[in-house]
C-alpha cells in the first residue's frame, strides 16, 4: 500500500458521505430518524438524524477497497458495524444508556480480544509492559470512554465532527513521521474517516440541516480510540503513551468534568444535563457559532501542544493537560460567577463613505471575474500537465464523464448533487496528480503554479469579504478548514512513499472553495466550470486509455 492515494480515499469518502447524507435526509421522516427538540437540546426545530450513516459508509468503503484485511482491520470493521447498528437503532428509538453500553462494550471487545489491539505500555510505567490481563480490560474501558466522550460532545452544530477532524489531522501528522505497515494503516483510516466527516459537515454547519446522531458520533469515538492505541502502541512507540490526552483533547476533559459535577451534586451518572462546556458557553451569552469556533481554538491549542511535546515525559504531558483543563474550566466558572457577558449594547457605527463602498464593490467584482477564469482554465490545463495518468484513474474519469454529461443534460435546473460531487472529485484528482505524477520537465513551471494558487486564493478571499451572497456564507467549518491548511503549512506532512500530503491538501482546499463559489453563483460561471470539468475528465480519460495501451 506504499502508493495508496490517500487524497483520493479522502475525496471518495467525502463524496459518498455527502451523497448518502443528502439522500437519507429526504427520507428521514419515513425512516423514523428525526431529532425532536426538548429542554436539554439547543435546536428548536425537528432535524434529520441520519448523518452517521453517511459518515460510516463513506469511511468504510475506501477502507475496504484499499487497506489489506488482516484480523485487526476485520475486527475494526466489525466493531464499526456493531456501533452503526446500535447507533441507528438509538437514533430511531432512543435506547436507554444500558442498552447502548451493550453495543459499545461489544464493539470495543471485538477490537481488543478478536483484533488483538490493546495498551501494553501505560503512562508513567516507562518500558515496563502491562500484562495482557490488565492491558486488555483497560483498553476496552478506554475505548468505551472515548466513544462516550465524542458522543457527548455532539451538542452544537459542527462541534463533534470538527473536534474529530482536528484530532484526526494530528494523528495523521504523527503517523507521517514514522514508518512501517501500521503507519500506512493509520494514515489510510484517518484519510477515509476525515473524508466522511468533511462530507457530512457540508450539512451540519449552523443552522444544521442534518445531525450525525449516535450512529456517527459513536463511530468517530471508536475510530479515534483505535487510532490512538495503534499509533502510540504500535506505529511509533517513541511517542509518549500519555500523548492521546493532548491530541484527543477537549472531549475527554469535558466528559470527565461533567461526570465529576454529577457525582458532586449526587445526580444520576448517566442522566443527560446541560452542563457540558458548550452549554456553559451558550449560557454565558456567546452565540452558537462563537461557541463552536472558541472550542475549535481550544482543541487546536491542545493539538499544537501535542506536536510540541510528543517526545516529552509522560509526567510533563499529564501536568500540561491537567493544568490547561484547570485554566479552561476555572476561567469559565469565574466568568459565570462574575456575570460576564460578551455582547454589550453599543451605538450605531457611522456609515462608510461612498468611495469605500465603491472600492469594495470594484475589488469584489474584479476578484469574481478573475476566479471565473482561473478555475475553469486551471482544471483543463492541469489535466494536461501530469507526467503519468494511470489506467485506473482513466477508467474512473471515463465513468465520471458519462455520469456528468447525463446529469447535466437530464437535470437542467440548478446544480444537482451528482454534478457538484463530480466537480469536487475532479478538483481533488487534479490536486493529487499535479503533486504525485508531476513530470520532471514541469519543475521549471513551479513558480507559475505557486502564482496561480496565490492569485486564486487572493481572489477567493476578496469575493468572500466584499461580495454579499447568501448562498456562500463563512461558517465554523470554514474556520476549521483554514486552520487545517495553515497548520499543514507550518507542519508539512509527507505520506507513504514521500507523497506530499500538504501540497495536495492546500491545492484541494483552495479549489474546493473556488468551485463551491462558482457553483453557487451566476449561471454563466456554473456553465463554464461544468464545461471545464467535462473537458478535464475527457483529457484524463484519453490519457488513461493511452497509458493502458502502452502498458499492454
Amino acid at each position: 500500500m506504499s502508493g495508496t492515494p490517500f487524497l483520493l480515499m479522502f475525496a471518495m469518502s467525502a463524496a459518498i458521505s455527502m451523497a448518502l447524507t443528502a439522500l437519507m435526509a429526504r427520507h428521514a421522516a419515513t425512516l423514523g430518524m428525526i431529532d425532536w427538540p426538548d429542554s436539554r437540546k439547543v435546536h428548536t426545530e425537528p432535524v434529520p438524524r441520519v448523518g452517521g450513516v453517511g459518515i460510516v459508509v463513506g469511511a468504510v468503503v475506501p477502507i475496504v477497497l484499499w487497506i489489506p484485511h488482516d484480523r485487526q482491520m476485520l475486527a475494526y470493521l466489525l466493531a464499526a458495524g456493531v456501533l452503526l447498528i446500535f447507533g441507528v437503532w438509538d437514533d430511531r428509538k432512543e435506547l436507554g444508556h444500558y442498552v447502548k453500553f451493550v453495543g459499545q462494550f461489544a464493539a470495543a471487545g471485538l477490537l481488543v480480544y478478536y483484533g488483538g489491539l490493546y495498551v501494553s505500555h501505560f503512562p508513567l510505567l516507562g518500558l515496563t509492559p502491562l500484562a495482557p490481563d490488565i492491558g486488555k480490560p483497560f483498553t476496552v474501558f478506554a475505548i468505551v470512554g472515548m466513544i462516550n466522550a465524542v458522543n457527548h460532545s455532539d451538542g452544537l452544530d459542527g462541534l463533534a465532527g470538527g473536534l474529530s477532524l482536528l484530532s484526526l489531522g494530528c494523528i495523521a501528522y504523527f503517523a507521517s513521521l514514522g514508518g512501517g505497515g501500521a503507519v500506512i494503516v493509520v494514515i489510510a483510516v484517518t484519510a477515509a474517516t476525515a473524508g466522511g466527516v468533511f462530507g457530512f459537515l457540508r450539512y451540519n454547519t449552523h443552522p444544521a440541516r442534518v445531525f450525525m446522531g449516535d450512529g456517527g458520533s459513536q463511530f468517530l469515538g471508536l475510530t479515534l480510540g483505535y487510532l490512538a492505541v495503534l499509533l502510540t502502541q504500535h506505529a511509533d512507540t517513541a511517542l509518549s503513551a500519555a500523548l492521546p490526552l493532548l491530541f484527543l483533547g477537549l472531549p475527554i476533559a469535558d466528559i470527565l468534568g461533567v461526570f465529576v459535577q454529577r457525582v458532586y451534586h449526587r445526580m444520576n451518572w448517566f442522566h443527560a444535563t446541560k452542563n457540558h462546556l458548550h452549554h456553559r458557553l451558550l449560557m454565558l451569552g456567546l452565540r452558537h457559532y462563537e461557541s463552536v469556533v472558541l472550542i475549535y481554538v481550544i482543541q487546536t491549542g491542545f493539538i499544537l501542544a501535542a506536536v510540541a511535546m510528543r517526545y516529552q515525559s509522560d509526567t510533563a504531558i499529564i501536568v500540561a493537560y491537567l493544568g490547561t483543563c484547570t485554566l479552561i474550566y476555572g476561567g469559565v466558572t469565574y466568568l459565570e460567577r462574575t456575570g460576564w457577558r460578551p455582547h454589550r449594547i453599543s451605538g450605531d457605527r457611522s456609515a462608510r463613505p461612498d468611495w469605500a463602498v465603491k472600492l469594495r464593490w470594484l475589488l469584489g467584482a474584479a476578484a469574481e471575474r478573475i476566479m471565473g477564469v482561473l478555475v475553469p482554465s486551471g482544471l483543463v490545463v492541469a489535466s494536461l500537465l501530469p507526467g503519468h495518468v494511470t489506467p485506473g484513474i482513466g477508467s474512473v474519469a471515463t465513468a465520471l464523464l458519462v455520469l456528468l454529461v447525463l446529469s447535466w443534460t437530464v437535470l437542467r435546473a440548478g446544480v444537482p448533487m451528482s454534478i457538484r460531487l463530480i466537480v469536487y472529485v475532479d478538483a481533488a484528482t487534479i490536486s493529487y496528480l499535479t503533486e504525485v505524477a508531476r513530470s520532471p520537465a514541469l519543475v521549471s513551471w513551479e513558480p507559475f503554479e505557486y502564482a496561480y494558487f496565490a492569485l486564486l486564493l487572493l481572489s477567493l478571499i476578496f469575493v468572500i469579504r466584499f461580495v454579499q451572497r447568501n448562498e456562500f456564507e463563512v461558517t465554523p467549518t470554514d474556520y476549521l478548514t483554514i486552520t487545517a491548511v495553515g497548520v499543514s503549512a507550518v507542519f508539512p506532512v509527507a505520506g507513504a512513499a514521500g507523497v506530499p500530503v500538504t501540497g495536495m491538501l492546500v491545492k484541494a482546499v483552495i479549489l474546493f472553495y473556488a468551485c463551491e463559489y462558482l457553483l453557487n453563483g451566476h449561471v454563466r460561471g456554473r456553465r463554464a466550470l461544468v464545461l471545464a470539468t467535462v473537458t478535464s475528465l475527457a483529457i484524463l480519460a484519453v490519457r488513461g486509455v493511452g497509458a493502458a495501451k502502452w502498458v499492454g
Side-chain angles (χ1 to χ4, degrees), residues 31-107:
L31 296 170
M33 300 176 69
I34 298 290
D35 195 318
W36 299 96
D38 59 36
S39 59
R40 69 178 180 85
K41 296 177 181 177
V42 175
H43 64 285
T44 57
E45 299 290 336
V47 179
R49 191 162 48 184
V50 297
V53 178
I55 293 174
V56 177
V57 175
V60 166
V61 169
I63 290 174
V64 171
L65 291 177
W66 271 301
I67 301 180
H69 299 163
D70 59 9
R71 183 164 180 159
Q72 191 176 99
M73 180 52 59
L74 180 59
Y76 166 71
L77 293 173
L78 290 174
V82 169
L83 283 183
L84 179 61
I85 292 171
F86 274 82
V88 171
W89 187 11
D90 181 70
D91 292 334
R92 284 175 50 86
K93 300 294 185 182
E94 292 285 352
L95 302 177
H97 293 285
Y98 298 107
V99 178
K100 291 168 67 173
F101 278 135
V102 170
Q104 293 169 3
F105 276 100

Side-chain angles (χ1 to χ4, degrees), residues 230-246:
L230 186 60
L231 174 68
T232 58
Q233 304 290 318
H234 298 275
D236 189 353
T237 54
L239 296 172
S240 168
L243 199 61
L245 284 175
L246 290 176

